[in-house]
Amino acid sequence: MTKSGQVERSFKDNSHPLFSLLKLRDVNAGGAQVRACLPYQESFTDGADKGLAKGWSVITLDTLLGMAVYGRLQETRPIATIDLAVDYLEPAGKGADLICEANCHDIKDNIAFVSGCISDARDGYQITKVAAKFIIKNPLRPQGERGSSQYIPQPWELPQAELCPGFEKLKSNVPFARWLNPERYTFNGNAVFALEFNDSHIGDPYARTVHGGILTSLMETAAVGTLAINKNAKELADPLSLKVQFMRPTGARDTYASASIIRDGKNIIIVDAHAWQESPDKPSARATFLFKASN
C-alpha cells in the first residue's frame, strides 16, 4: 500500500490520534487531489460565532496538503511542511459542514508545491485558502523522542504570569484553546506559552514529529496572547492571515512559543512569533500574523 493509501486508511479506521479527532467524511484521495468533508463539531468552534476555530482550519488543511503530496508521489518518502501561507476570508457559519480540498500542483527538486481551501458545504462559499511547500526527504527509520544537549526550563520552574483577562477568556471560552491547553509563563521578562506534549499532537507517526498545524496553533496562541497582554485587552484579536516557515523537526516533547508586536498601526497589527524545543535561539518555526486593528 502506498503512503497516501496508508494515510487515507488512517482517516477511515481512526488509527491516527490526531486525524481521528477530525472525523473527516467522504475522504477522496484521488492522486494529487484530495477532497473531504469536515463535519460540524461544537468542540471545534471558536466560542464566539460558533464557526470553525482557525487552529482546526490549519490542522485540517496541512493534513490534506500532505495527503495530496503523497498522492502525487505514489511512494513512501518522508515529507515535511517548510512554509505555509493562510488567508482567512470569512468566518465559518454556525453549524456548517465544511468541504476541504487540496491539490499538489508539481514536484521539482524534491519540493512539492500545494494549495488548498475550505468552503461552506451549504453554498460553496470559500472561507479559508492556503498555499504551501513541502520538502520530500530521504527514507528514515522510525524514531522516538528527540534528545537535547541543552537544558530546557520546565514549566514548573517558570514563574506563572499574572492573570490577563484576554488570555483567560481565550482558554475559558474557546473550545479549541481548551483542547490545546497552552500555559502561560514569564521567562527572562517575556511571556512564554508552553504546550505539554501528548500523542494527539503527532503528525507523522513514523518520524514522531509534531503536526505543523499544532505548531502553528501554538504560535497563534502566543500572538493572540501577546496582543491581549500588551493591550490589556478583554476582547481577543482575530488574525486575517498568517505565514509560517518550518525550520527544524519538532519531536515528541513539550514545545514553547513567544511573540512580539512588530507594528501596531491604526488599521493593521503585525505580530511575529516563534516556537522552539531546545532553545529560543534554535526555533522550530517562525510565523507572522496580520491582525485588523480594533477602532
Side-chain angles (χ1 to χ4, degrees):
M1 180 182 292
T2 65
K3 188 68 174 284
S4 61
Q6 293 172 350
V7 175
E8 183 178 4
R9 186 180 66 180
S10 71
F11 281 112
K12 296 178 179 178
D13 63 12
N14 292 325
S15 60
H16 191 290
L18 179 58
F19 298 170
S20 64
L21 295 175
L22 298 175
K23 299 181 180 178
L24 291 177
R25 300 196 309 252
D26 306 323
V27 178
N28 183 356
Q33 294 183 326
V34 180
R35 190 176 192 272
C37 176
L38 179 66
Y40 177 81
Q41 299 181 59
E42 185 77 20
S43 60
F44 279 18
T45 62
D46 59 10
D49 56 14
K50 300 298 182 183
L52 181 69
K54 290 179 168 58
W56 283 120
S57 298
V58 176
I59 290 169
T60 304
L61 284 170
D62 191 36
T63 299
L64 294 189
L65 293 176
M67 285 185 68
V69 175
Y70 284 134
R72 181 171 284 276
L73 275 175
Q74 289 298 312
E75 64 173 315
T76 302
R77 296 274 299 278
I79 66 172
T81 317
I82 53 175
D83 73 31
L84 190 73
V86 181
D87 289 311
Y88 299 112
L89 307 176
E90 292 287 342
K94 180 179 179 180
D97 290 349
L98 302 172
I99 300 300
C100 309
E101 299 174 281
N103 185 14
C104 180
H105 303 283
D106 201 1
I107 297 176
K108 292 182 179 179
D109 298 326
N110 285 332
I111 301 295
F113 298 84
V114 288
S115 66
C117 65
I118 296 179
S119 306
D120 192 314
R122 298 170 297 189
D123 54 17
Y125 200 82
Q126 195 172 106
I127 61 172
T128 305
K129 66 178 183 178
V130 62
K133 299 180 189 71
F134 282 68
I135 188 168
I136 301 162
K137 300 184 287 187
N138 292 324
L140 47 75
R141 294 190 303 270
Q143 52 190 295
E145 296 184 3
R146 297 176 181 269
S148 170
S149 58
Q150 187 165 351
Y151 176 71
I152 303 172
Q154 297 300 313
W156 53 85
E157 297 176 292
L158 301 177
Q160 198 151 16
E162 294 180 0
L163 292 178
C164 169
F167 183 70
E168 299 310 315
K169 182 176 180 179
L170 174 69
K171 291 196 65 176
S172 61
N173 292 1
V174 180
F176 175 70
R178 290 200 299 269
W179 176 80
L180 196 65
N181 196 31
E183 295 294 341
R184 183 170 64 96
Y185 302 89
T186 300
F187 184 55
N188 287 343
N190 298 315
V192 174
F193 299 80
L195 182 64
E196 183 179 356
F197 172 77
N198 69 62
D199 279 340
S200 65
H201 297 162
I202 289 293
D204 187 336
Y206 302 96
R208 293 281 292 169
T209 50
V210 173
H211 193 285
I214 297 291
L215 201 58
T216 302
S217 297
L218 175 62
M219 290 189 289
E220 182 178 319
T221 299
V224 172
T226 296
L227 276 179
I229 294 165
N230 281 269
K231 292 179 169 292
N232 196 25
K234 295 183 179 180
E235 297 298 322
L236 299 171
D238 209 17
L240 297 172
S241 64
L242 64 91
K243 293 183 179 180
V244 186
Q245 291 79 45
F246 298 94
M247 305 167 71
R248 289 179 175 84
T250 308
R253 57 185 296 176
D254 295 353
T255 307
Y256 306 88
S258 63
S260 58
I261 300 173
I262 302 303
R263 174 176 171 77
D264 187 0
K266 292 182 179 179
N267 298 309
I268 63 168
I269 301 172
I270 301 173
V271 181
D272 278 356
H274 66 286
W276 71 90
Q277 290 187 321
E278 290 190 8
S279 164
D281 297 328
K282 296 181 178 180
S284 300
R286 290 187 180 276
T288 300
F289 296 86
L290 178 67
F291 294 86
K292 185 178 184 300
S294 57
N295 298 319

